[in-house]
Amino acid sequence: MLDFRQRLFLTTALASTISLAAANAGSTHTELTEKQIHSVQMSEPASTTETAKSTDSAKSTESAKSTESTKSTESAKSSESTDKTAKPAETTTAAAPVLSAPIPGNLPAGIITSDHLGNDDEEPVALFPAESAEAISKANQLHEKAMEAFKRNNIEEAIRFDEEASKAAPHYWMPHVALAYLYSNYKGGGPALEQAQSAIQCQHPAMADNTHAALVATMHAFGSAMDKFKQLAAADPTSWRAQVGLASCYMNKGDAKSANSILDQLSAANLKEPAAQLVVGNYYKKTGELTKAKDVLKQGLENNPEPKIKEKLLIQLFEIAVNTDDRALIAELKPKVSPILDARQRAWLRIGNIKLAKTPVEAKLALQLAEGDTVTDTEYRAYSRIFDKMASENPSDKTAWLKLAKEAMTQALADKPAALQNKALLAAFDEQLGDKEAALKIIKAPSPTSQLEQDSDVYLASYYKKMHKAQDDALSKLFVADKDGYKCFAQAVDFKIPQANCRCKVNSARSMIKTLPGVLDAIVGPGDIPTATIVFDNRKISRDGIFQDPKMKGFKDKFQVDNERPIKNIVELAEIYKGEEQTSLAASPSVQLVMLQYPTAQDAAVAVSVGSNPQPN
């Protein structure tokens, strides 16, 4: 028989694997139900039993020794009975009784018992047996040392002390919640979820339920997490963590309307906690409500946030200022964020400098300054879009702005010489500047292999060369030189998959379409249900030929396909690439640890110990 820890080990391994697979597929909406997780906990395949035992044997032995040293004879009998009857099941919480000493930020500060766990159609989760007051006192002392290390930002030492606290009192909720918090950022979601699961199997405050629900959501079990957050919000309408957790689940399930409705209610409630305003602003940003996000983040800065929260508020607000072309806010925040941005986030600083430029001369200086850093082709394309927009808005300086856009795209192509969009965009600027011959030369130029590709093993290097040659030949044959410059044989057709609730299905279709003879590329636009545009050679394949191909007919989702249209020139091809989903230049500051809580000495002091006769710890 697999014991609880062994089943939980398999649970977290499965959840982590599925979550990673979803991420690799480009999807943020692949959902894992908690019943799928528990199906591993309940099963005992012969092929995995020995692996689980060998992986966790040392841990189980050490935990068993610690448990035996603190149990009374009566507790041991109770534990034996529990082991025979308990069945792990999906855990949810109902309204809990309110204690006279509430836990700040976790109202009502009810201690959850087995009567309050589980849905109506599930068997309740059995709680761990009692810990002695002596064991809990020792765990609290160790956690105080962990908190001191945490304040010094010595995370390894904090983990070590909290792990010792967990061993001293394995059936006490607080060390498990502390480790779930630390592991979530420093060891990954699997170990964190294991600790959160252990916490809710002790008698515990709402802090443990919030931690568990938040980590279940990170495993893409959005339905299960949503149920938990709904119950937490019903039990404590003042809990912003429960409300924001619920909004994040709606957002990940593709329901931005419901997510924004919850965020609007929170904003209307006149939040005063900077941490809450940081998370609300972050989710407003993710749902596209950038003006609301900006307002909430500004309010957070006005409410005297502690230093770490203040840094995150400033960086989030600066990112939005750059993305919304708010030049005044960019100028105001630039000196404040410059010392705290990491290497990738400094891309926003460089783009901010370029957006502050009012003339081509100023923009040229900003571009030269940026070239002193490590800049990707994605960032150079962002520069070119800014310059191209300025060319449209300033007819008197149009040529100067277009030349800057060309200069940025020259750098982008140098970074990724085989990227079709880099070739098309650079050639389009030459054509706009009146030099069709130069534009055609770029289109027909062979793509060299990058340094990274050259450094690959001999088989991969050979593959890259063949791939680039095939792509170069296909692009070159679309544009044939004639007396007027060139003739274009490219066609385009748009399609979408209306039933898809995420980009992953469109990306999957794109991968299949690009393998069809005669297809040059498929460009996917922005949004959860994006429009994709196929570029193909009308002499080799047609719209119907693409979607009647056996590969595409076997695709289970229905396509909504528009009529095909001609691509008249290189500029029109570049316009298609301009509509492609833009890759994020840098990751926003994580707010996961803001959603979770690291328990304090005060949390321990007002909570209740495990056992049938709760006592203050």
Side-chain angles (χ1 to χ4, degrees):
M1 295 284 289
L2 296 179
D3 64 20
F4 168 75
R5 287 184 179 274
Q6 291 164 344
R7 291 193 299 268
L8 194 53
F9 174 82
L10 293 177
T11 295
T12 54
L14 172 68
S16 298
T17 300
I18 294 178
S19 180
L20 178 61
N24 287 340
S27 169
T28 58
H29 302 290
T30 304
E31 183 167 349
L32 174 65
T33 65
E34 204 169 0
K35 288 186 178 180
Q36 286 176 301
I37 295 176
H38 285 301
S39 69
V40 178
Q41 292 181 335
M42 296 299 291
S43 65
E44 299 174 322
S47 60
T48 59
T49 301
E50 292 303 317
T51 302
K53 286 180 179 178
S54 62
T55 303
D56 212 33
S57 59
K59 188 186 209 176
S60 298
T61 302
E62 190 171 14
S63 176
K65 287 179 181 178
S66 177
T67 302
E68 284 300 318
S69 67
T70 57
K71 287 181 185 175
S72 64
T73 303
E74 183 178 346
S75 300
K77 290 180 180 179
S78 172
S79 175
E80 181 179 350
S81 174
T82 301
D83 288 341
K84 291 180 180 179
T85 59
K87 292 183 179 180
E90 181 175 348
T91 59
T92 54
T93 60
V98 180
L99 300 182
S100 58
I103 298 177
N106 289 282
L107 298 174
I111 297 303
I112 309 301
T113 67
S114 58
D115 293 336
H116 302 116
L117 292 171
N119 291 327
D120 293 338
D121 60 345
E122 294 179 338
E123 296 183 39
V125 173
L127 296 182
F128 288 144
E131 289 289 359
S132 68
E134 181 183 356
I136 290 173
S137 176
K138 183 178 180 181
N140 285 340
Q141 291 172 10
L142 288 165
H143 181 61
E144 286 180 6
K145 294 180 180 180
M147 285 190 295
E148 291 173 4
F150 182 73
K151 289 176 183 177
R152 299 193 307 269
N153 206 32
N154 189 337
I155 304 304
E156 290 184 3
E157 187 174 325
I159 290 175
R160 179 170 62 82
F161 279 124
D162 275 327
E163 286 177 341
E164 289 181 15
S166 178
K167 292 172 185 176
H171 298 161
Y172 175 34
W173 70 271
M174 194 181 67
H176 296 298
V177 170
L179 287 171
Y181 178 99
L182 296 171
Y183 285 177
S184 66
N185 196 48
Y186 302 102
K187 284 197 175 183
L193 182 58
E194 179 181 356
Q195 293 295 330
Q197 178 72 29
S198 296
I200 64 169
Q201 289 197 262
C202 308
Q203 290 190 7
H204 59 275
M207 181 190 292
D209 291 299
N210 175 76
T211 299
H212 183 251
L215 290 170
V216 166
T218 66
M219 295 297 178
H220 290 226
F222 302 122
S224 297
M226 185 178 290
D227 290 340
K228 299 173 191 299
F229 282 127
K230 283 180 179 178
Q231 291 174 8
L232 286 165
D236 177 14
T238 68
S239 171
W240 64 265
R241 285 184 172 85
Q243 298 285 356
V244 170
L246 186 56
S248 72
C249 289
Y250 277 121
M251 185 175 64
N252 282 302
K253 288 173 74 70
D255 188 353
K257 183 178 179 181
S258 295
N260 281 325
S261 176
I262 293 172
L263 297 176
D264 288 345
Q265 291 173 23
L266 283 169
S267 297
N270 197 24
L271 287 172
K272 294 295 184 184
E273 289 187 60
Q277 290 162 319
L278 169 63
V279 180
V280 171
N282 177 67
Y283 283 123
Y284 265 141
K285 182 190 71 177
K286 289 185 176 181
T287 58
E289 296 283 354
L290 297 183
T291 300
K292 292 179 179 178
K294 199 184 297 185
D295 291 341
V296 172
L297 293 170
K298 285 179 179 178
Q299 291 167 14
L301 286 169
E302 292 169 358
N303 287 331
N304 194 28
E306 56 99 355
K308 288 185 178 180
I309 297 296
K310 183 178 181 179
E311 285 188 4
K312 291 178 183 289
L313 285 163
L314 284 168
I315 294 173
Q316 292 266 7
L317 187 57
F318 185 70
E319 178 190 0
I320 293 171
V322 169
N323 290 334
T324 56
D325 296 341
D326 190 335
R327 287 180 168 82
L329 190 56
I330 292 171
E332 177 189 341
L333 295 177
K334 196 175 82 166
K336 298 177 183 178
V337 300
S338 182
I340 60 177
L341 293 173
D342 66 27
R344 287 198 65 190
Q345 291 166 348
R346 293 190 71 80
W348 299 328
L349 194 63
R350 293 188 291 268
I351 288 183
N353 287 333
I354 284 176
K355 287 192 172 184
L356 288 175
K358 296 178 181 179
T359 67
V361 174
E362 292 177 356
K364 174 75 171 179
L365 290 172
L367 181 59
Q368 290 173 339
L369 182 65
E371 289 170 355
D373 296 332
T374 301
V375 180
T376 65
D377 72 315
T378 301
E379 189 174 338
Y380 277 121
R381 284 199 300 274
Y383 299 165
S384 76
R385 285 195 300 272
I386 297 168
F387 297 145
D388 190 24
K389 182 180 177 184
M390 293 299 287
S392 300
E393 295 174 353
N394 299 276
S396 60
D397 288 326
K398 182 176 181 179
T399 298
W401 285 111
L402 286 177
K403 286 182 178 179
L404 284 172
K406 175 186 172 181
E407 184 176 338
M409 281 311 306
T410 300
Q411 297 287 358
L413 186 62
D415 186 58
K416 291 285 179 66
L420 285 171
Q421 60 182 323
N422 289 346
K423 278 191 169 185
L425 290 166
L426 177 56
F429 287 123
D430 267 327
E431 188 163 281
Q432 286 178 272
L433 288 165
D435 194 343
K436 279 191 175 183
E437 184 178 345
L440 194 60
K441 185 176 180 181
I442 292 169
I443 291 293
K444 292 185 173 293
S447 301
T449 53
S450 67
Q451 188 60 49
L452 182 64
E453 292 168 340
Q454 292 174 23
D455 292 341
S456 304
D457 65 62
V458 63
Y459 298 104
L460 270 178
S462 175
Y463 165 77
Y464 287 129
K465 287 180 181 178
K466 290 179 180 178
M467 181 182 69
H468 294 336
K469 187 177 187 310
Q471 180 179 277
D472 291 342
D473 288 347
L475 178 62
S476 178
K477 289 175 181 177
L478 287 178
F479 298 91
V480 177
D482 64 10
K483 59 183 179 63
D484 296 320
Y486 62 80
K487 185 175 182 180
C488 181
F489 293 94
Q491 295 277 109
V493 61
D494 297 335
F495 77 90
K496 61 171 55 178
I497 305 176
Q499 294 81 14
N501 62 354
C502 69
R503 300 175 56 81
C504 55
K505 292 184 178 180
V506 178
N507 286 331
S508 177
R510 172 183 182 267
S511 296
M512 286 193 288
I513 289 168
K514 287 182 67 175
T515 66
L516 301 179
V519 171
L520 174 71
D521 205 354
I523 298 97
V524 181
D528 285 338
I529 308 178
T531 296
T533 302
I534 307 169
V535 177
F536 59 94
D537 189 331
N538 62 11
R539 298 164 298 180
K540 296 183 177 180
I541 198 168
S542 66
R543 164 189 180 274
D544 293 340
I546 292 170
F547 290 97
Q548 291 301 316
D549 187 274
K551 290 182 182 179
M552 303 309 297
K553 290 179 74 173
F555 203 82
K556 67 178 182 179
D557 293 285
K558 291 184 178 180
F559 293 95
Q560 178 182 308
V561 185
D562 293 341
N563 293 325
E564 61 183 84
R565 64 185 187 276
I567 297 174
K568 298 176 183 177
N569 50 46
I570 295 171
V571 171
E572 287 191 6
L573 176 62
E575 286 299 320
I576 294 173
Y577 278 109
K578 287 179 184 179
E580 188 170 21
E581 169 80 350
Q582 302 302 320
T583 305
S584 175
L585 293 176
S588 298
S590 171
V591 299
Q592 182 183 16
L593 290 186
V594 178
M595 278 291 294
L596 303 181
Q597 295 166 277
Y598 189 60
T600 65
Q602 185 181 14
D603 295 322
V606 299
V608 176
S609 67
V610 296
S612 56
N613 296 307
Q615 301 174 356
N617 2 339

